Amino acid sequence: MAKWTPKHEAPEPLEGPVVATITGGTILWFVLFLVQLPFYGWFDDRDLTWWVWTCLAGAGLGLIGIWYVRGRDAALKRHAAAQGADAAAQGAGAAEAPEPRAPETHPGA
C-alpha cells in the first residue's frame, strides 16, 4: 500500500471573531439552561434531566473557553506588535548605519 502524499499545501487556518463566537455560544447555552429550568419536573418525569445539566455544563465550559480565547487573542496581538516593532527597528537601523567604505590601502604595504 502506497503512502498517501498531499498534492498541495494545506491552507492557512481561518481567523475570525473567535471571542465573539465563543461568547455567543456560551450565552446560548446559558439561555437554554434558563428556558429549561421551569420545566425541570417534566424532564425529571421522563428521565431527561441530563438535557438541563448539559446546557449548564455547556455554559460553564463556555466560560473557560472565553477565558482561553481572550488570552490567545491577546497573545496574538502582542506577537504582532513585537513583529512590527522589530521590523521598524530594523528599518530604522538600516537608515542610521554608516555607508560602508572601501578598505584603505597603505603605500608601504
Side-chain angles (χ1 to χ4, degrees):
M1 176 186 243
K3 184 177 177 181
W4 178 82
T5 55
K7 296 181 181 179
H8 54 79
E9 291 184 31
E12 289 292 320
L14 296 175
E15 289 293 332
V18 181
V19 176
T21 303
I22 300 300
T23 302
T26 302
I27 291 169
L28 182 64
W29 278 114
F30 191 68
V31 167
L32 287 171
F33 169 73
L34 292 178
V35 166
Q36 291 178 354
L37 203 55
F39 303 102
Y40 188 83
W42 185 88
F43 286 109
D44 194 32
D45 291 344
R46 289 158 181 78
D47 200 27
L48 297 174
T49 56
W50 63 270
W51 283 24
V52 177
W53 301 119
T54 299
C55 293
L56 185 60
L61 290 173
L63 291 174
I64 295 169
I66 290 170
W67 171 76
Y68 179 81
V69 296
R70 287 186 70 203
R72 177 185 177 272
D73 194 41
L76 289 173
K77 287 179 182 176
R78 281 193 309 269
H79 179 71
Q83 292 281 15
D86 288 345
Q90 287 178 355
E96 295 173 4
E99 293 183 25
R101 293 189 283 175
E104 295 180 13
T105 57
H106 297 291

